């Protein structure tokens, strides 16, 4: 089986490539890349896709997704989350361990991988817990989890409050050549909070979560990484202080990488007016000053990746009083279009955006993806940058519908999602 993607604009940051070219896929791999590729030999097994006017890039990678299986299948399953990923243009996703049971043992990691193989839509990379049940007390069996197929460690949803445990986690993970993904939030400072501490929370009568809850933990993790010479990846950066700390640390040569979520560079806490629980996330939506800092961080390279933090919840968790509503919003099917707004607004070039949504996540997770080099896995995303569409959750693949972007008019959409040489999503 051969696929010829003809005449698209190919952007591949891993090869500094931006040109109108053809791409040939043979079986599961990239077989050729060039202008006017001639088709030699037997053409009976060749499918030609005319992609003039479309953008062809290395398959997008979402390094921060919650799939909810095992345990919360009514919110999302490996299958529905994979379909949502493909529809959003993602060929690979890394899924966080806060399932039930928590992914803190080989059997859970293997279960997720088995499910992903059975549904066979996108590549699923499990992230295993740092601590047993993500309770922050006892470290998990890192080598065993790695052998089972985990690609990173995180207690996402919670911070690893015990600094001694975090130090050991960074050291063990580094010895195995794997990243630790840190959800940075001082749980004592954030306790009882439901929104960003500030005028909006005060006006709404909600308990606040101060910026320093995030800043302190980012600073601590940088200090531990610097002291031990290890690497740390900071999840969903949301504050002006965190961006500054990461920027300074990178300048000093600390091995720190970081990601930002589309909602944190698109929305402020004003989205909480009318107590809209769909906009309740962790870390919370912040102020315009923070949003600007996150955008600046993306622009100057302080923030390496865009990650959706796709967090499905049902109406059971969301149609309740604000204080009791669960944190999180779905993101796999809006992430690309919201991120393309950064290009339209001149914050990022297309090349930089593709790097942040494919090449860089692959490097951080140390997975052999994020490139269209000859011989690489044929994971390819084709987008239509001109397609205008309205966010309509009834058309989404995700099992959950919790997003504050309903009704938004967006521009840019996945046109084809190709995983291992097979078309897994095609725009209607
Ligand atoms: Zn988190």
């Amino acid at each position: 089986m051969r696929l010829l993607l003809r005449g698209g604009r190919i952007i591949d940051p891993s090869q500094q490539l931006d040109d109108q070219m053809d791409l040939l896929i043979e079986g599961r791999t990239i077989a050729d890349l060039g202008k006017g590729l001639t088709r030699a030999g037997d053409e009976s097994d060749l499918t030609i896709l005319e992609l003039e006017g479309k953008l062809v890039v290395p398959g997008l990678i979402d390094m921060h997704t919650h799939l909810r299986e095992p345990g919360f299948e009514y919110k999302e399953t490996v299958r529905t989350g994979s379909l949502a990923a493909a529809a959003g243009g993602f060929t690979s996703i890394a899924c966080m361990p806060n399932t039930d049971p928590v992914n803190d043992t080989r059997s859970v990691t293997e279960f997720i991988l088995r499910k992903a193989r059975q549904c066979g839509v996108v590549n699923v990379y499990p992230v295993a817990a740092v601590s047993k049940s993500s309770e922050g007390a006892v470290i998990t069996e890192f080598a065993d989890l790695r052998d089972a197929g985990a690609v990173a460690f995180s207690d996402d949803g919670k911070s690893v409050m015990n600094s001694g445990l975090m130090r050991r986690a960074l050291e063990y993970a580094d010895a195995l050549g794997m990243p630790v993904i840190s959800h940075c939030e001082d749980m004592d400072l954030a306790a009882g909070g439901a929104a960003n501490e500030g005028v909006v929370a005060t006006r709404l009568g909600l308990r606040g979560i101060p910026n320093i809850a995030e800043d302190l933990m980012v600073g601590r993790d940088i200090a531990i990484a610097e002291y031990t010479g290890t690497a740390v990846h900071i999840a969903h950066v949301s504050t002006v202080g965190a961006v500054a700390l990461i920027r300074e640390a990178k300048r000093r040569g600390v091995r720190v990488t970081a990601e930002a979520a589309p909602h944190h560079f698109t929305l402020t806490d004003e989205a909480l007016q009318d107590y809209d629980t769909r906009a309740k996330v962790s870390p919370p939506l912040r102020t315009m000053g923070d949003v600007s800092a996150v955008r600046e961080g993306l622009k100057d390279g302080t923030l390496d990746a865009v990650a959706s933090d796709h967090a499905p919840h049902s109406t059971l968790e969301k149609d309740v009083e604000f204080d009791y509503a669960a944190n999180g919003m779905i993101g796999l099917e809006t992430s690309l279009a919201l991120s393309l707004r950064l290009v339209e607004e001149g914050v990022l070039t297309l090349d930089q955006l593709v790097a942040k949504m494919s090449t860089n996540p692959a490097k951080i997770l140390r997975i052999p993806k994020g490139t269209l080099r000859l011989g690489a896995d044929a994971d390819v995303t084709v987008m239509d940058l001109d397609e205008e569409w309205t966010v309509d959750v009834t058309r989404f693949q995700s099992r959950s519908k919790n997003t504050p972007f309903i009704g938004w008019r967006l521009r840019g959409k996945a046109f084809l999602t190709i995983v291992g040489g097979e078309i897994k999503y095609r725009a209607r």
Side-chain angles (χ1 to χ4, degrees):
M1 180 65 192
R2 296 185 298 156
L3 262 180
L4 180 62
L5 279 57
R6 195 150 69 180
R9 175 181 173 191
I10 296 184
I11 292 187
D12 180 2
S14 78
Q15 323 181 54
Q16 285 89 45
L17 205 66
D18 181 353
D19 207 347
Q20 189 176 3
M21 286 176 133
D22 303 338
L23 180 74
L24 180 69
I25 295 169
E26 279 180 4
R28 301 184 57 82
T29 55
I30 307 281
D32 206 353
L33 185 64
K35 284 182 185 285
L37 289 189
T38 47
R39 295 151 281 148
D42 181 21
E43 285 183 24
S44 61
D45 67 336
L46 183 72
T47 304
I48 300 175
L49 299 162
E50 299 293 350
L51 297 177
E52 209 162 311
K54 303 289 190 293
L55 183 65
V56 180
V57 304
L60 302 183
I61 300 169
D62 190 57
M63 63 178 299
H64 195 136
T65 294
H66 297 270
L67 289 180
R68 306 302 191 203
E69 186 178 9
F72 306 102
E73 291 82 355
Y74 65 99
K75 301 186 191 194
E76 196 82 283
T77 62
V78 172
R79 179 175 170 76
T80 59
S82 297
L83 290 169
F90 294 99
T91 55
S92 295
I93 52 179
C95 59
M96 289 296 163
N98 58 340
T99 46
D100 183 18
V102 166
N103 182 10
D104 59 3
T105 54
R106 166 185 278 273
S107 60
V108 180
T109 301
E110 287 173 347
F111 169 83
I112 294 165
L113 286 171
R114 197 161 55 240
K115 284 277 169 182
R117 256 197 318 275
Q118 280 166 6
C119 66
V121 180
V122 296
N123 306 297
V124 174
Y125 292 97
V127 177
V130 166
S131 65
K132 296 263 166 68
S133 302
S134 286
E135 283 170 352
V138 182
I139 202 161
T140 55
E141 299 282 350
F142 278 20
D144 202 38
L145 288 158
R146 187 240 356 230
D147 293 346
V151 295
F153 299 98
S154 181
D155 276 350
D156 185 55
K158 297 173 183 172
S159 253
V160 177
M161 288 296 289
N162 181 326
S163 302
L165 186 81
M166 190 62 171
R167 174 195 177 164
R168 271 188 294 144
L170 293 191
E171 289 176 334
Y172 290 169
D174 210 54
L176 296 172
M178 294 167 72
V180 170
I181 300 171
S182 185
H183 171 117
C184 289
E185 182 178 40
D186 184 295
M187 281 154 69
D188 299 308
L189 281 167
N196 178 52
E197 185 171 286
V199 289
V200 173
T202 305
R203 195 197 323 140
L204 295 173
L206 297 170
R207 291 264 295 274
I209 300 168
N211 278 27
I212 54 161
E214 180 166 333
D215 301 352
L216 263 181
M217 295 308 275
V218 171
R220 183 205 67 172
D221 287 350
I222 287 170
I224 297 174
E226 189 163 19
Y227 181 71
T228 54
T230 58
V232 68
H233 177 78
I234 311 295
H236 42 53
V237 172
S238 77
T239 66
V240 59
V243 174
L245 284 163
I246 295 162
R247 183 180 289 124
E248 283 301 309
K250 282 191 164 180
R251 243 174 236 155
R252 293 198 303 278
V254 182
R255 295 167 59 204
V256 58
T257 53
E259 74 195 26
H263 47 270
H264 286 130
F265 57 72
T266 306
L267 299 172
T268 67
D269 53 1
E270 293 289 347
L272 300 181
Q273 61 180 339
D274 307 327
Y275 300 93
D276 185 354
T277 59
R278 296 170 308 179
K280 185 180 179 189
V281 283
S282 172
L285 298 176
R286 308 274 188 188
T287 65
M288 190 47 87
D290 297 299
V291 170
S292 303
V294 169
R295 287 168 165 248
E296 193 53 42
L298 286 163
K299 188 181 174 74
D300 73 9
T302 300
L303 305 178
D304 307 84
V306 169
S308 75
D309 196 4
H310 177 81
H313 288 296
S314 78
T315 54
L316 287 175
E317 292 85 22
K318 283 294 194 180
D319 287 357
V320 295
E321 250 183 274
F322 199 89
D323 276 331
Y324 301 112
N327 286 310
M329 61 176 81
I330 54 171
L332 284 170
E333 289 165 270
T334 49
S335 186
L336 173 59
L338 290 170
S339 303
L340 283 167
R341 284 159 54 103
L342 296 176
V343 176
E344 201 152 313
E345 292 164 20
V347 178
L348 296 179
T349 63
L350 261 180
D351 183 79
Q352 287 172 323
L353 182 65
V354 174
K356 287 177 201 299
M357 296 187 79
S358 182
T359 319
N360 295 352
K363 274 187 210 149
I364 294 164
L365 294 172
R366 303 179 211 185
I367 55 175
K369 300 288 183 184
T371 180
L372 297 175
R373 282 181 194 285
L374 300 194
D377 294 342
D379 291 356
V380 184
T381 301
V382 180
M383 345 176 173
D384 184 341
L385 295 178
D386 300 320
E387 167 91 8
E388 285 196 47
W389 58 288
T390 303
V391 178
D392 174 2
V393 285
T394 64
R395 308 182 73 151
F396 277 9
Q397 298 294 323
S398 175
R399 185 162 281 181
S400 291
K401 310 298 173 197
N402 54 303
T403 169
F405 295 109
I406 290 170
W408 278 45
R409 201 70 191 140
L410 298 174
R411 197 181 160 105
K413 214 171 186 304
F415 182 72
L416 287 173
T417 306
I418 300 170
V419 184
E422 289 179 27
I423 297 174
K424 295 299 181 180
Y425 170 79
R426 188 195 289 261
R428 81 246 135 0

